[in-house]
Amino acid sequence: MTVEVDKLAPARPGYFYPAFIASLALNLLFVGLFAAAAWHHYEKSLSANEPGLLAFVRQLPENRQDAVRNEITGARAAMKDLRADVRKSWIDANAMLTEEPFDKAKFVEALAKLRESENVFKTALNNALAETAASLSPEERKILQSWREKRRPNVLRSQGEPAKDGAKPE
């Protein structure tokens, strides 16, 4: 049995396949570089939005920012274990919801432990805020007060007042 080859099709030179592979590699290189640039831009934009009280520090005069930032990050480091305890208590209490048979007394006890660990953590947060405020000048405390007013929690909003994102509360 013989197979007829289309003799009319032009023969491709041998360097086409390596050229196609090189072109594909070059395209992937540019796509990778573009993705890396986008990723790093995203990372920088995240660092510009410092969480919590560190966002307030950017509103202070340049010569005070480092000292206040160091004080806040030191307080955060000191509260790391308290935050981990709150997280563990929450996970433990939440895991009890699917245990069979459900033990209401154990669940109430776990919620009480969660509430206690949250209270210890929030007390430490409040004490750190008070220490930071004590180290600020009167003008800097005014900046802190206006920053906190803008960030007030949703629990302090009246029923018809819109939330931070502009959505109507339920």
Side-chain angles (χ1 to χ4, degrees), residues 60-140:
L60 293 176
E62 290 287 328
N63 60 346
R64 289 281 293 145
Q65 287 184 7
D66 287 336
V68 176
R69 184 178 287 114
N70 290 340
E71 184 178 337
I72 293 170
T73 54
R76 278 188 177 180
M79 289 184 271
K80 190 175 184 178
D81 291 338
L82 296 175
R83 184 183 301 269
D85 189 40
V86 170
R87 186 174 293 119
K88 183 184 178 318
S89 298
W90 189 92
I91 290 170
D92 291 347
N94 199 41
M96 289 183 178
L97 289 172
T98 57
E99 289 179 358
E100 289 300 330
F102 180 72
D103 187 355
K104 180 182 174 185
K106 271 179 65 176
F107 184 62
V108 168
E109 184 179 316
L111 289 176
K113 182 179 185 285
L114 172 62
R115 185 177 53 248
E116 180 59 32
S117 61
E118 285 176 337
N119 286 340
V120 169
F121 177 66
K122 287 180 180 181
T123 300
L125 280 176
N126 291 338
N127 290 340
L129 178 62
E131 288 295 322
T132 300
S135 70
L136 298 175
S137 69
E139 296 81 22
E140 293 169 343

